[in-house]
Amino acid sequence: MDSQEGKTERASDLVPVSTRLLRIAELARKSPDMVFLTLAHHVDEAFLIEAFARTRKDGAPGVDGVTAGEYEVTLRANLGSLLERFKSGTYKAPPVRRKHIPKGDGTKTRPIGIPTFEDKILQRGVAMLLEAVYEQDFLDCSYGFRPGRSAHQALERLWDGLSAMGGGWVLEVDIKGFFDTLDHQHLRDILDQRVRDGVVRRTINKWLKAGVLEDGSLSFPEAGTPQGGVISPILANLYLHHVLDTWYERDVKPRLEGESFLVRYADDFVIVFATKADADRVYNVLPKRFGKHGLTLHPEKTKLVPFSCPPRTPGGGRPGTFDLLGFTHFWGRSRQGGWVVKRKTAQSRLTRAIRRTYEWCRDNRTLPLAEQAAMLAKKLQGHCGYYGITGNSQSLQDFRHWLIRAWFKWLNRRSSRKDRTWEWFNAQLERLKFPAARAVHSKLRHAANP
């Protein structure tokens, strides 16, 4: 106990988790070609406590049915057991419970994986290690699921670039089933370039091989990483950093004749070109590049969109539109009369939001009026919290309009009597101080093009 080695171990245990991560990040930044052979030694009880603190507590339970509250009752004992299994290699990745959530306008669904809460903690811990290493490698064009970056920053970067170039040609890309088709061997090869810690890599392999439980049936997919898994975003970013970002910046962009830029948020991205010749070249080679890494571009959703400022549109035609991150981008007139790039809520997203609100009003029509008002106000404010960008006021007002109509309709179906009038309902909205639909992201500004 009095040995120098023991003192060193106790001293290192007192190093804050944030300091350890900063040291990893600094080492990765100074040595971009360095391969990390040891990372797992940074993970101790304090590290897992931090991972627990960063893990969402309100998610649905996994296959074991254990909630965050139940796990926290004996937190230290649970984390001690988890740490021992992680370090010894005896940790077994539990199957992921799969459910389907609405996609687009709600007529289609996409699968999402729900790990157990304990698995989320360990995934968060490993993700913290990988993030410390790879944040130094990721490029500025990538915005998804990265610290200090957001979808709204990606939208602002896109708006700035389009405005500065006066538009151009936009390559709108959709990767078919990306999270379900991500190739495991390609991912391992990419990880080999930076992270070869045996404990970390063994655990990642277990997650890649973990079964999927759906409708009582257990399967073992040979590709993909489940959407919903805490580790999935960093692995997805890593994969596309190699397949797309660095390839575009180092191999493609220097060979282009005109200006071009890429904006990516997770697996959603667009590439903007000043000339059609450049756009055509990349449009033709992109499927081959992705195909080499086991990915397929959706043939109908991947398209080249003419998006020049109207006075510059070839042949005097109208420019096209494209979608990114739930917004439709188009050219329109500013209040001063100049041409500007505008954004509005994509129709599929607006339709889905209205449908969900309608269903909520139907299912909760018997709640007290004040309670309904409070919940619907939160839904409206949440909707505006994402879609409330400058220039999108009409779509925000449309959402509030249909929310109000759905609410009024189902209030009148609480009983066989339909004696509530719009005059009465409007008076209740005033009394309850039901909020208006307002833009909250005013930094995403519009300025007229010269």
Side-chain angles (χ1 to χ4, degrees):
M1 289 294 293
D2 294 330
S3 69
Q4 187 63 39
E5 180 180 352
K7 292 179 182 178
T8 303
E9 285 183 4
R10 287 196 297 273
S12 65
D13 289 344
L14 296 177
V15 177
V17 172
S18 59
T19 302
R20 296 181 229 175
L21 294 175
L22 285 173
R23 288 176 179 174
I24 297 172
E26 182 65 13
L27 191 57
R29 186 186 64 80
K30 289 182 177 179
S31 307
D33 297 323
M34 177 182 177
V35 177
F36 286 81
L37 302 178
T38 58
L39 284 172
H41 68 280
H42 291 287
V43 180
D44 56 13
E45 185 176 311
F47 197 95
L48 290 182
I49 289 175
E50 178 65 21
F52 168 81
R54 298 189 188 188
T55 302
R56 285 185 56 180
K57 313 298 190 297
D58 57 351
V63 294
D64 61 358
V66 177
T67 65
E70 292 169 343
Y71 193 87
E72 191 174 6
V73 172
T74 53
L75 181 61
R76 287 193 175 274
N78 288 333
L79 293 183
S81 171
L82 177 61
L83 179 63
E84 192 280 327
R85 284 175 283 143
F86 169 66
K87 291 290 186 73
S88 66
T90 59
Y91 180 77
K92 295 182 179 179
V96 174
R97 183 167 68 87
R98 174 173 285 179
K99 64 179 293 187
H100 292 263
I101 61 174
K103 179 181 179 181
D105 61 2
T107 59
K108 297 181 179 179
T109 63
R110 65 174 180 177
I112 185 168
I114 304 175
T116 64
F117 184 73
E118 181 175 71
D119 205 41
K120 289 179 184 178
I121 296 173
L122 188 55
Q123 286 192 32
R124 176 61 64 195
V126 172
M128 287 158 57
L129 293 174
L130 296 182
E131 184 180 279
V133 174
Y134 287 108
E135 266 302 305
Q136 323 314 312
D137 299 345
F138 290 155
L139 304 182
D140 285 342
C141 60
S142 168
Y143 290 87
F145 304 107
R146 293 180 58 191
R149 292 185 164 233
S150 68
H152 291 105
Q153 290 176 334
L155 290 166
E156 185 169 11
R157 169 66 185 100
L158 177 61
W159 189 90
D160 286 340
L162 287 169
S163 299
M165 289 174 56
W169 292 83
V170 176
L171 181 53
E172 182 183 0
V173 183
D174 183 273
I175 306 174
K176 196 173 183 179
F178 171 69
F179 283 91
D180 293 326
T181 59
L182 185 148
D183 186 270
H184 291 172
Q185 188 54 52
H186 282 300
L187 177 60
R188 294 186 184 101
D189 293 341
I190 294 169
L191 283 165
D192 280 343
Q193 299 174 22
R194 238 359 193 151
V195 175
R196 295 184 194 168
D197 179 286
V199 176
V200 171
R201 291 294 301 274
R202 182 168 59 235
T203 307
I204 292 175
N205 283 336
K206 290 178 180 180
W207 285 322
L208 294 177
K209 296 176 181 179
V212 174
L213 185 65
E214 183 174 7
D215 297 329
S217 176
L218 183 62
S219 61
F220 295 89
E222 296 181 358
T225 175
Q227 280 183 280
V230 178
I231 197 70
S232 294
I234 183 71
L235 295 180
N237 269 338
L238 174 59
Y239 202 86
L240 288 177
H241 166 75
H242 174 80
V243 175
L244 175 65
D245 301 353
T246 56
W247 170 75
Y248 168 78
E249 290 291 338
R250 297 175 187 175
D251 299 334
V252 175
K253 198 172 180 179
R255 294 179 171 85
L256 300 178
E257 297 177 358
E259 289 184 76
S260 177
F261 66 93
L262 163 70
V263 175
R264 180 175 69 81
Y265 188 93
D267 62 326
D268 293 326
F269 70 93
V270 296
I271 309 177
V272 181
F273 304 90
T275 71
K276 188 174 187 301
D278 286 341
D280 285 335
R281 288 171 60 195
V282 177
Y283 182 51
N284 291 329
V285 75
L286 199 63
K288 300 174 185 177
R289 171 66 181 178
F290 276 67
K292 285 177 58 177
H293 294 84
L295 301 175
T296 304
L297 302 187
H298 199 293
E300 297 175 358
K301 297 180 181 179
T302 299
K303 53 189 177 182
L304 196 56
V305 180
F307 199 74
S308 295
C309 186
R312 307 176 192 173
T313 303
R318 293 178 60 85
T321 66
F322 67 93
D323 291 352
L324 182 70
L325 298 175
F327 290 90
T328 297
H329 297 69
F330 62 100
W331 284 98
R333 294 281 190 180
S334 70
R335 291 181 179 179
Q336 292 76 30
W339 288 103
V340 295
V341 177
K342 292 189 172 185
R343 285 78 53 90
K344 63 180 180 181
T345 308
Q347 188 58 50
S348 62
R349 296 290 188 93
L350 183 58
T351 300
R352 183 176 69 184
I354 292 171
R355 178 182 288 112
R356 287 180 173 177
T357 302
Y358 182 92
E359 292 171 350
W360 189 93
C361 291
R362 179 195 64 199
D363 297 341
N364 296 275
R365 61 185 182 272
T366 59
L367 292 177
L369 184 61
E371 192 172 333
Q372 291 188 48
M375 289 300 299
L376 289 171
K378 287 183 179 180
K379 292 182 181 296
L380 175 60
Q381 291 166 346
H383 185 86
C384 293
Y386 183 77
Y387 293 104
I389 65 174
T390 302
N392 193 34
S393 59
Q394 186 58 57
S395 293
L396 300 180
Q397 292 168 15
D398 288 345
F399 175 73
R400 186 181 188 276
H401 168 79
W402 288 108
L403 180 152
I404 294 297
R405 289 185 65 88
W407 189 11
F408 178 72
K409 171 181 176 177
W410 289 107
L411 279 177
N412 260 320
R413 282 161 175 73
R414 300 212 306 186
S415 66
S416 59
R417 294 176 57 188
K418 298 182 180 180
D419 54 356
R420 293 182 175 85
T421 64
W422 275 105
E423 290 75 16
W424 170 85
F425 187 57
N426 287 328
Q428 301 308 308
L429 293 177
E430 183 71 21
R431 179 180 65 83
L432 294 165
K433 294 181 171 56
F434 196 74
R438 294 189 177 92
V440 297
H441 298 283
S442 58
K443 286 183 67 177
L444 294 178
R445 69 276 181 202
H446 283 118
N449 279 354

